[in-house]
Amino acid sequence: LHTAAMTCLSKEERFYMKCRAAYLSVFRSSLVNMTSKDQLCTVLQKAGRNPSQKALDKYWPPGTKKLNFDDFCEILKKEKPAEPDQLMRIFKKFDVSCDGYISHEELSRILTSSGEKMSPKEVDEIFSLADVNKDGKLDYAEFCRLLESTAEQCQTAALKKLEADAKLKRQNFGNQLDNSPQSSESQPELPASETQPRTELETTQRKDSRSSSRPSSARIRRSSLSTVITMGAGSTKSGRLVEPKSLQDWHHTLMRGCFYLEEDGTIVSLQYRLVIPETTSVYLTIRPLNLSPIPEKPSPWMCVDTALYVVMGNETKEDSNLVCFTELRDKERFLWRGELSAGSYLLLPFTTGCRLMKRTRKTSTKTAQLVNHTQSGELELTKEFKAALSDIFEVIDLDGSGLLSLEEYTSGEKCDEDAWAICKENFNTKKNELTRQGFLELNLMEANDREGDPRDLWLTLEAMGYNHSLEMVEACPFVIEVYCEDAKATLQAVHLDSGIKMLNSAVQRSITSKAEAKSLKGHENVLIYTYKGESRISSVIANKSNQKMTVHINNEQSKNCVSSRGMSVFAVEVPARTKMVCQHVMALNYQQEWTYNCVETIIPSL
């Protein structure tokens, strides 16, 4: 039955099925990432490959944290299975007596002195398995047959397991970002009815030349929905943008902050409390903060999209009411203009993650030097490290005053008041706050405390988004500005334990309140909301049924696009009676036309 089923599949489908079977023989799900070179080696062996150490080093260079199922499929395409007689030909070269045997001594000499050298212990382990006659000789023909048979048995067993286990067979494809606040948080039970404002979706078909790591023929086309939206090239300025002529006369306040990319791909930032004493017209903006001193060479993160969600709620409640969000765009600024009543609001900064993603560290990157020894033997900070610290000072100087308060220095977390008092006594301060020079002195003291060992300094730099070349690649500083016509508002950074869930809820509601809902064919209780904004397209999946649904997402035919998921094909599981943000998509190059072409398909239960 198994052989007949495999025969009916196309070549691509058989390849993909074997990839899945091998992966699921090691991991519980194809959404689980490989986190070590050893895991990569194991799963490749399960797929009938025998990768060399050189090949493993190529696929897992230093600095690699994880690879996903898509990466594994691509590697399998490059790592071809060894030919059945290849190993035999190698053994025959070393069989000097041509009797079909190799002694332990000869095998040990070969394996410990040439190629990828093994240790004597590793050779002993191989020989104990390969000496089938227990006569101190290796019958290499029998050994090759044993290896080939074992590999085939492992692959067959994995495929049979996949065929027999319905749960495994319908598991998600691709790599779902389980910890992403803007992508995967499920929401509370849906109300009986949903508001469905109208949005016109263009239907121009576009074909993309990119290929997927999975065969299109293997995808189920039933119960699917196709959405195509074409966005024009050119201006990054909204046609609806109307800046008040008298804006310079309005009351103005600002706050800085920073998006930080966590190890698991989650993007975090501070939140802010806005208090407005009386009803007034408000002009609200957020934009990346340019730290480059060279006007013609702005900071690399200036292309990162930003947004601000205004909600009413308190720090302890996970639920909140969305008031508004910055829909309009003026180059790198995103803004909102309207009237806000007197009251207290929470401002939740947001970025889609399309332009702020984990990067694979280049192996050739040279680690920058943080400290030097002077001729007198004293430690000093290098010029490059001082420049990075100066930028960090700008980022954590939330009010832009040029000084660091205790709250700014600790990012709102608790700090020993006595330690701060000692800090102010020993380092340059002004108005009881730390100056830029004092901040540099503080870091020099930390370097001296560790006798020049930079490891702790690097931990701080990495937490701030820096790589080992002292480039801020996994963070995006931003600045929020609030203009009020008739009243002076106060703006303060706050820490919210429920911040990620509140933000995800606000993003989700902003999409469902402005987008048309379309149901998947054959599944009227599964709705897709697609929102077309000034610079991004976002979607939400709502599952109104009483059972969990797995939805396969295919963006392969999109053109000039990048998804917040980091891949063109993936799947998401939506629990019963919940809805969740599926993805955000932006243009790779806004100077060219871009087309969002997404096919959502239900993966049926077996």
Side-chain angles (χ1 to χ4, degrees), residues 183-360:
S183 300
S184 64
E185 289 284 349
S186 59
Q187 295 302 315
E189 185 171 319
L190 294 173
S193 62
E194 290 285 337
T195 304
Q196 300 178 13
R198 294 170 298 281
T199 297
E200 287 192 11
L201 304 182
E202 300 176 50
T203 56
T204 305
Q205 292 290 335
R206 295 282 173 175
K207 187 173 182 180
D208 192 358
S209 60
R210 290 180 296 173
S211 61
S212 169
S213 61
R214 296 175 194 65
S216 58
S217 57
R219 299 189 190 100
I220 301 167
R221 295 301 179 187
R222 293 178 296 142
S223 306
S224 66
L225 173 67
S226 177
T227 304
V228 183
I229 305 173
T230 298
M231 305 285 278
S235 176
T236 56
K237 190 165 185 173
S238 168
R240 296 180 288 157
L241 176 65
V242 180
E243 183 175 300
K245 293 181 180 179
S246 58
L247 190 63
Q248 66 273 15
D249 299 323
W250 289 26
H251 300 280
H252 173 247
T253 184
L254 66 80
M255 271 284 177
R256 294 174 178 174
C258 191
F259 295 113
Y260 296 106
L261 195 55
E262 302 285 86
E263 193 61 42
D264 61 2
T266 304
I267 299 174
V268 299
S269 74
L270 286 170
Q271 293 83 38
Y272 301 82
R273 169 68 66 185
L274 173 66
V275 178
I276 296 179
E278 61 181 86
T279 300
T280 181
S281 294
V282 175
Y283 190 74
L284 186 66
T285 75
I286 182 172
R287 59 178 170 82
L289 176 63
N290 187 17
L291 298 178
S292 173
I294 307 172
E296 60 272 16
K297 190 178 180 182
S299 299
W301 55 81
M302 294 302 289
C303 65
V304 173
D305 60 288
T306 59
L308 205 56
Y309 287 80
V310 181
V311 302
M312 294 200 75
N314 58 54
E315 285 86 343
T316 58
K317 289 181 64 178
E318 293 181 3
D319 202 9
S320 59
N321 295 317
L322 175 65
V323 176
C324 61
F325 67 102
T326 51
E327 277 193 276
L328 304 182
R329 181 182 185 186
D330 178 15
K331 296 181 180 178
E332 71 273 6
R333 286 194 310 163
F334 288 81
L335 49 99
W336 176 84
R337 181 184 179 183
E339 187 176 87
L340 291 180
S341 301
S344 178
Y345 302 87
L346 286 172
L347 304 188
L348 309 178
F350 169 77
T351 182
T352 61
C354 292
R355 298 173 181 273
L356 184 61
M357 292 184 175
K358 297 297 289 184
R359 301 190 181 190
T360 302

Side-chain angles (χ1 to χ4, degrees), residues 556-568:
E556 288 178 301
Q557 299 305 310
S558 293
K559 178 183 177 183
N560 187 28
C561 288
V562 58
S563 168
S564 59
R565 293 282 179 160
M567 57 181 63
S568 60

Side-chain angles (χ1 to χ4, degrees), residues 276-470:
I276 296 179
E278 61 181 86
T279 300
T280 181
S281 294
V282 175
Y283 190 74
L284 186 66
T285 75
I286 182 172
R287 59 178 170 82
L289 176 63
N290 187 17
L291 298 178
S292 173
I294 307 172
E296 60 272 16
K297 190 178 180 182
S299 299
W301 55 81
M302 294 302 289
C303 65
V304 173
D305 60 288
T306 59
L308 205 56
Y309 287 80
V310 181
V311 302
M312 294 200 75
N314 58 54
E315 285 86 343
T316 58
K317 289 181 64 178
E318 293 181 3
D319 202 9
S320 59
N321 295 317
L322 175 65
V323 176
C324 61
F325 67 102
T326 51
E327 277 193 276
L328 304 182
R329 181 182 185 186
D330 178 15
K331 296 181 180 178
E332 71 273 6
R333 286 194 310 163
F334 288 81
L335 49 99
W336 176 84
R337 181 184 179 183
E339 187 176 87
L340 291 180
S341 301
S344 178
Y345 302 87
L346 286 172
L347 304 188
L348 309 178
F350 169 77
T351 182
T352 61
C354 292
R355 298 173 181 273
L356 184 61
M357 292 184 175
K358 297 297 289 184
R359 301 190 181 190
T360 302
R361 291 185 174 88
K362 297 178 182 178
T363 55
S364 59
T365 299
K366 185 178 179 181
T367 300
Q369 195 169 349
L370 303 185
V371 294
N372 283 323
H373 283 91
T374 64
Q375 291 183 346
S376 60
E378 295 180 350
L379 279 177
E380 65 175 3
L381 306 181
T382 63
K383 181 181 178 181
E384 295 76 15
F385 187 31
K386 284 183 178 179
L389 288 174
S390 182
D391 283 349
I392 291 174
F393 183 91
E394 289 289 333
V395 172
I396 63 178
D397 177 18
L398 300 182
D399 60 6
S401 67
L403 300 169
L404 291 185
S405 65
L406 170 60
E407 290 73 19
E408 290 173 328
Y409 180 70
T410 60
S411 297
E413 296 180 359
K414 290 184 178 180
C415 176
D416 188 336
E417 293 284 350
D418 292 336
W420 181 247
I422 293 172
C423 179
K424 291 191 293 184
E425 287 177 10
N426 289 275
F427 305 113
N428 193 287
T429 60
K430 186 177 180 181
K431 300 178 181 177
N432 288 321
E433 294 185 336
L434 201 60
T435 65
R436 190 186 305 267
Q437 181 59 36
F439 182 64
L440 295 176
E441 292 169 355
L442 178 58
N443 280 273
L444 178 59
M445 182 201 72
E446 291 181 2
N448 275 296
D449 286 346
R450 290 157 182 77
E451 298 179 342
D453 186 340
R455 284 178 292 184
D456 285 349
L457 297 174
W458 275 119
L459 288 176
T460 301
L461 286 166
E462 288 171 359
M464 295 296 295
Y466 282 84
N467 63 14
H468 279 229
S469 294
L470 286 179

Side-chain angles (χ1 to χ4, degrees), residues 11 19 21 32 44 107 112 215 226 267 435 453 465 470 497 500 556:
K11 182 179 178 181
C19 290
V32 175
L44 283 172
L107 183 67
T112 59
S226 177
I267 299 174
T435 65
D453 186 340
L470 286 179
D497 292 335
I500 288 179
E556 288 178 301

